[in-house]
Amino acid sequence: MRYCERHELHNCADCAPRTPRGGVAGGDWNEWPGTAIIIHSGGKAHFPGCSHFSPADVRPPVYGWVLAPSPGAWRRLAPSHPLHATHGNRELVAVSRCMTCDGTR
């Protein structure tokens, strides 16, 4: 039984295995791993597939991303527990969650 670290449950349909994504932005959400978190320059974190932008928009300097965040990183996200981008614009830090993304999970 596969465990989803993002949603902290087993056999998560939202996080089915996908093609591994490299450090370069692409034009299709299917290129993103299910555990990725995208960080906007405004400090807000999003999941791949968010309706606020298209996959082609996700590129530095406006966006950074974390392909393999630590377990529970989404739920812990807050000014007191920021998430630093590991790809794209690595200077970006998320301190809040997109409410649209949060509401879909």
Side-chain angles (χ1 to χ4, degrees):
M1 190 177 293
R2 188 176 159 99
Y3 183 74
C4 171
E5 294 178 347
R6 178 199 281 175
H7 299 111
E8 298 176 342
L9 53 97
H10 291 281
N11 290 334
C12 177
D14 290 330
C15 295
R18 297 179 184 169
T19 306
R21 177 181 169 73
V24 180
D28 187 351
W29 288 125
N30 289 327
E31 296 177 19
W32 289 83
T35 59
I37 296 176
I38 299 167
I39 302 170
H40 185 266
S41 60
K44 190 152 311 260
H46 302 266
F47 289 139
C50 181
S51 61
H52 290 122
F53 48 88
S54 72
D57 295 334
V58 182
R59 60 183 185 267
V62 179
Y63 292 94
W65 52 92
V66 180
L67 297 177
S70 63
W74 179 262
R75 291 179 193 226
R76 287 190 308 269
L77 205 83
S80 60
H81 199 282
L83 180 66
H84 298 266
T86 58
H87 293 84
N89 182 349
R90 289 183 268 160
E91 294 180 10
L92 295 180
V93 178
V95 293
S96 64
R97 296 184 296 268
C98 167
M99 298 280 64
T100 303
C101 293
D102 208 26
T104 62
R105 306 297 179 192

